[in-house]
Each structure stands twice: as C-alpha cells, then as structure tokens.
Amino acid sequence: MSLPVEDLECPVCCDIFTDPVLLSCSHSFCRECVRLCWETSGSRECPMCRKRASKAAPTTNLALRNLCETVLEARRESSSTEEKEKEKEKEKEKELNCGLHEEKLKLFCLLDKQPICVVCYLSKTHKNHDCSTMEEAVVNCKHELSTTLTSLQEKMDSLKRIHTNSNDTIDYIKKQALKTQQEIKAQFEQLHQVLHRDESERLAALKREEDEKIAGMRDKVGEILEEMFSLEECFNILESELNADDMSLLMNFKATQDRCSSLPLGPVNMSGTLIDVSKHLSNLKYSIWENLNDHLEYTPVTLDPNTAHPYLILSDDLTSLYYSGLSYGCPDNPERFQMSAEVVGMNALGSGSHHWLVETGSNRDWLLGVTSVSAPRNVDISARPENGFWTLCYRDGEFRAMTSPPTALSLATEAHVSRIKVQLDYNNGTLCFFDCSGDDTLLYTFESTFTEMLLPYFYTRSQHPLRVLPENVIVTALRNEVSKHVK
C-alpha cells in the first residue's frame, strides 16, 4: 500500500525528506532542516509541537529514508522516460518531414517507391514521376506487402513439405540400401552354391580318378612282385643245374628250359597310369562359366523402382509388377509416376533394335510399349504418341493400339493372349507388338520418327502380375586358327 506524497514531505522545507531523522515526539524532519531550526531558535525544540528534544543526536528514520529514496528514484525514472518519449516524438516529427526541404511528406513517388514533399515533387529529382497521396500509397503498399507475405508463406509451406519429404527420403534410402544389400547377398549366395557344388563334383571326380589310378598301380605292383618271385625261383633253379653234374644237367635240361621259357619276360605296360590332369584343368574357368550358364538368367528389360507408382509392387529381381491399391511409403521424387499405376525400364534406348517378351498371364488390364524420357509423370494424360507414348492396351477383353483416337484390334483366334513381344527398331522408327502365346502373330505396328531416348513402359491396375521373361544366354569361345608356313 503506497503513502500519499504529502506524508513523505518535510514540514520545514516542504520537499521529500532528505536523510530524515525521528525526534522523541515521533515527528520527522530532514536532518539539515532540524539543525537549522535549532540554530536559529537557540533551543532544541520540535518545530511542530515545541516539545523539547533530547540532547542526543536525533536518530535516522531508516524506514522513511528508504521509502523516500524509492519515491525519488521512481520520479527520476519517470522524468527520464518522459524525456525519451519527447525525443522520440521529435524524431518522429523529423521523419514525417522531408530531409532535404524540411517540408511535411504528403506524396508517395511510385517510381522511386518513397515519400516526398511538394518541393521534391516540383524539383528535377521527381519531375514527371507518377505520385499518389500518402493514404492511397499506404493501401497499395499494404496490399503489395500482404501479397508478398502470402507468397512467402506459400514458399515456407513448400519448404516445410520438402523438409519433411527429405527426412522421409533419408529413411527410404536406408531401407532401399538394406533391401538391395540383402538381394545382392541372396543372388551371390545362389552363385556360391552353384560354384561350391561344381567344385565338390570336380574334386570328387579327381578323388575317384586318384583312387582308381592308385588301385591300378597297386595291382601292377602285385603282378610285378609275383613275376619277380617266379624269376627268382627260376634263377635259383638255373644256378643249381649249372652246379650239378653233367648227367643230371642233361636229364633235367628240357624241364628246366620249359619252365624258364614260360615266364613273361616282356616289359610291363605302364601307359595310362597317371592322372589325366588336363581333363581336370584344361579351360577350367571356361568350363565353370559354361556350367554357371545353366543357372543364369538374362532379362533384357528390368524395371526402375524409383519410377514406380506408389501402388505398384515390384519383384525383388525387378522383372515383374502388380497393382496393390495400397501405398508402400515411397518418397515423392520427381522421377516417380504419381497420377497413374505406371513404371518404366532402367535403360534408355536410343539406337538399334531391341525386343522383350512380357508374360501377361491372367492380367486383364494393362498397357505395354515405350515412352519418351521427357514424358510428364506428375499429370494425368493419355498414353498416346502426341504425349510421348506408343502403347498397346488390353482392357475389358479388347485390344487397342493407343493411337489418336485408339484403334481397336481384332484377333484371328479367340485363344487367350498370355505373352506379348515388344520389338523396337529405333533407327527405322517402328514399334511392333506380337502375340507369342502360339505363333508370333503381329498385332500392330507403330511408325514414327523418334527424336529422343525411349524407355520400356508398363501400366496395370490388376493384382495379377506382368512379368518380363528371361532370355537364353549363349556362351561361345572364339578360337583363332593360325597356319604356319615352313620354307
């Protein structure tokens, strides 16, 4: 609770107390005021009640002094604030006046975008400049700034969306990298298994041959030992006969000679006893590659997952697609089709001849063909040549070439078409579609002059997959025949 200012004034000087003292009669005065009063009157009496004060020095009224100092400080701050406000008002008045002519600013130059005074308007500086009143300028400038603010807000909202999408893209990149790493490992593991199996079979064949050769040599060693034993017996008999008397030698001569002549004295056949190393090592890497070839698949067209509509599901090997109807959380990158369930192949085609075979199976809603690399992907347009699309459509049980307008196609047979071959001859400007379910029946041919790179194109709204079929890989070795001429 604050006291009235009158209660804080000294009764002698009628001003705020300065170093107030408290007399025994409970009256307060400034220390200097009460001293002057006592000196003037010659007695130590209270200036108000005339009660005689004690001879001791009057005590300081601490509570009253603190309160007075607070009031004085508040007055000083108030005075300083008022001075600042006055200075601001003066500065504002100066701002409202022309800095060159000190005239009041009443006009706004539309060319220089600044307030001017009448003298400025008549001077050479702003001669022939369009001007408006300050009131009109305020309205126009506010409208312009408001428009700018709206534009900045839209940019800010766009940047926020990009920021959010960027963070989502980082998470998606990590998932992509992990999934791709797993697929790479899986495919290498398949190759490792083939190589390990081939290695085991080749080592087993070598082991079998080693065992067979060693067993054969052991049989030969046994035969040689038997022959050596027989020869040793014959050698002993001959020595014995040679040391016998003449009559005994002659009587046993025929038997001894027959026994010695019955022994096989020819050379031992040692051909084919060694391991056929060349059979195991000759062109070993090439033989391994030929064996791998039986386990390899080459698909002429693989799909680009970064272009697939969010509702499309692609296989791990990027050769098939189907429509799920649910988004799997892919980012909104510029390459992706956003309006329709479309996807394109990885490699752009700019020259030469190309073909790929698509298994449509039970799918009853698809488009196949090619599209130019610059065809828009974030707008809903028809897949027709004027928009950069050359496609064949199958929908509602009918085939249509997507010309302008579409061309209905009638098939010679009513058999279900389950395989479509797309054949592009870029240089000659033709795109052909064939029914490869049976015979390669030509369905339709587009003729055009292609002016930019093309991408294989796929569309479907069916949960039955479209699949690009692999082709056979043929490995051949080129052997150069060198003829030598001897002179």
Side-chain angles (χ1 to χ4, degrees):
M1 183 176 179
S2 60
L3 295 174
V5 177
E6 292 80 5
D7 294 339
L8 302 178
E9 293 179 350
C10 174
V12 177
C13 64
C14 298
D15 202 353
I16 299 295
F17 286 104
T18 301
D19 190 14
V21 293
L22 181 65
L23 301 184
S24 57
C25 60
S26 300
H27 291 132
S28 295
F29 304 91
C30 295
R31 184 181 297 276
E32 185 63 20
C33 291
V34 73
R35 185 185 66 78
L36 292 176
C37 288
W38 286 349
E39 288 181 356
T40 302
S41 62
S43 62
R44 297 171 63 87
E45 295 178 349
C46 173
M48 291 187 65
C49 65
R50 299 300 178 179
K51 185 177 179 180
R52 191 169 184 81
S54 64
K55 293 183 179 181
T59 59
T60 301
N61 192 338
L62 293 176
L64 184 59
R65 187 182 69 179
N66 292 338
L67 185 59
C68 291
E69 288 179 353
T70 302
V71 172
L72 290 173
E73 181 65 25
R75 282 187 175 182
R76 285 193 293 268
E77 290 181 357
S78 176
S79 176
S80 175
T81 302
E82 289 178 358
E83 290 179 358
K84 289 180 180 179
E85 290 294 332
K86 289 179 181 179
E87 289 178 359
K88 287 182 180 179
E89 290 179 1
K90 290 180 180 179
E91 290 294 331
K92 191 173 182 180
E93 287 180 359
K94 288 182 179 180
E95 290 178 358
L96 295 177
N97 293 334
C98 176
L100 294 176
H101 309 109
E102 297 184 357
E103 295 288 335
K104 192 170 183 180
L105 299 173
K106 295 183 177 181
L107 300 173
F108 186 80
C109 179
L110 300 177
L111 181 62
D112 295 326
K113 307 281 186 189
Q114 64 180 17
I116 61 174
C117 67
V118 177
V119 179
C120 291
Y121 176 70
L122 299 175
S123 67
K124 293 181 179 180
T125 306
H126 297 276
K127 188 176 182 180
N128 298 325
H129 289 186
D130 291 334
C131 297
S132 66
T133 63
M134 295 291 283
E135 293 76 10
E136 291 177 350
V138 168
V139 173
N140 294 334
C141 290
K142 282 186 176 181
H143 176 72
E144 186 173 341
L145 292 178
S146 178
T147 303
T148 303
L149 180 62
T150 302
S151 176
L152 292 177
Q153 185 61 49
E154 291 175 355
K155 290 181 180 179
M156 177 61 74
D157 295 340
S158 176
L159 288 175
K160 287 181 179 178
R161 288 193 298 270
I162 294 173
H163 178 264
T164 302
N165 187 59
S166 298
N167 289 330
D168 294 341
T169 301
I170 292 174
D171 295 336
Y172 186 77
I173 290 172
K174 292 179 180 179
K175 293 178 182 178
Q176 270 188 315
L178 178 60
K179 185 177 180 181
T180 305
Q181 182 187 62
Q182 292 171 347
E183 183 62 22
I184 290 173
K185 288 184 176 180
Q187 295 200 25
F188 267 97
E189 181 59 29
Q190 293 176 2
L191 296 177
H192 291 163
Q193 290 177 2
V194 174
L195 290 172
H196 289 158
R197 184 165 57 249
D198 191 12
E199 178 188 15
S200 299
E201 291 174 354
R202 292 175 184 274
L203 292 176
L206 175 61
K207 180 62 177 174
R208 286 194 300 270
E209 185 175 356
E210 177 190 9
D211 294 340
E212 291 173 0
K213 298 293 185 180
I214 290 176
M217 285 303 301
R218 283 174 177 168
D219 291 341
K220 288 183 181 296
V221 169
E223 293 174 359
I224 292 171
L225 289 175
E226 290 179 0
E227 291 181 8
M228 290 175 64
F229 180 74
S230 298
L231 286 173
E232 186 176 359
E233 285 185 345
C234 184
F235 183 79
N236 293 331
I237 291 171
L238 289 174
E239 279 188 341
S240 177
E241 291 296 326
L242 289 172
N243 294 326
D245 58 80
D246 296 342
M247 184 57 70
S248 176
L249 183 146
L250 294 175
M251 295 200 49
N252 295 328
F253 177 77
K254 186 176 183 307
T256 302
Q257 193 176 34
D258 290 342
R259 184 172 183 176
C260 292
S261 62
S262 65
L263 294 176
L265 300 178
V268 179
N269 183 15
M270 301 295 290
S271 64
T273 57
L274 300 180
I275 289 178
D276 189 357
V277 176
S278 62
K279 179 182 70 175
H280 297 284
L281 295 183
S282 178
N283 292 316
L284 177 59
K285 293 180 180 179
Y286 179 77
S287 299
I288 294 172
W289 169 247
E290 281 189 317
N291 186 34
L292 276 176
N293 185 41
D294 297 334
H295 302 274
L296 298 178
E297 288 185 346
Y298 170 74
T299 308
V301 170
T302 53
L303 306 175
D304 184 355
N306 293 338
T307 67
H309 186 273
Y311 287 0
L312 288 180
I313 302 297
L314 308 186
S315 61
D316 290 338
D317 60 359
L318 306 178
T319 61
S320 68
L321 67 148
Y322 69 90
Y323 185 81
S324 68
L326 297 173
S327 175
Y328 58 93
C330 56
D332 183 13
N333 51 299
E335 301 86 358
R336 193 174 305 280
F337 287 96
Q338 298 292 342
M339 304 303 295
S340 185
E342 303 162 283
V343 65
V344 293
M346 288 286 296
N347 298 324
L349 312 174
S351 63
S353 297
H354 311 270
H355 72 272
W356 53 96
L357 188 62
V358 182
E359 184 178 62
T360 58
S362 301
N363 193 309
R364 297 291 188 272
D365 188 359
W366 50 259
L367 277 83
L368 300 174
V370 296
T371 180
S372 60
V373 293
S374 64
R377 302 182 183 183
N378 58 352
V379 294
D380 190 8
I381 57 174
S382 300
R384 298 181 183 179
E386 63 268 22
N387 297 324
F389 295 83
W390 293 264
T391 61
L392 180 72
C393 173
Y394 181 63
R395 182 174 294 161
D396 301 328
E398 295 182 357
F399 284 91
R400 292 188 295 272
M402 297 304 291
T403 54
S404 298
T407 302
L409 305 178
S410 58
L411 302 184
T413 176
E414 295 183 358
H416 174 58
V417 177
S418 60
R419 292 187 176 186
I420 298 292
K421 181 167 75 172
V422 185
Q423 184 168 307
L424 170 67
D425 189 336
Y426 187 95
N427 297 339
N428 291 326
T430 61
L431 178 69
C432 302
F433 296 90
F434 296 89
D435 172 16
C436 292
S437 305
D439 297 333
D440 289 354
T441 304
L442 178 63
L443 298 176
Y444 190 80
T445 299
F446 283 94
E447 294 183 355
S448 180
T449 301
F450 303 121
T451 58
E452 57 179 303
M453 305 282 276
L454 302 176
L455 292 167
Y457 171 84
F458 304 82
Y459 162 93
T460 186
R461 286 290 297 269
S462 172
Q463 294 183 352
H464 298 283
L466 298 174
R467 179 170 176 255
V468 183
L469 297 178
E471 296 184 348
N472 293 329
V473 178
I474 301 175
V475 180
T476 60
L478 299 178
R479 296 179 175 86
N480 295 326
E481 305 235 342
V482 179
S483 57
K484 297 182 179 178
H485 302 277
V486 180
K487 295 183 180 180

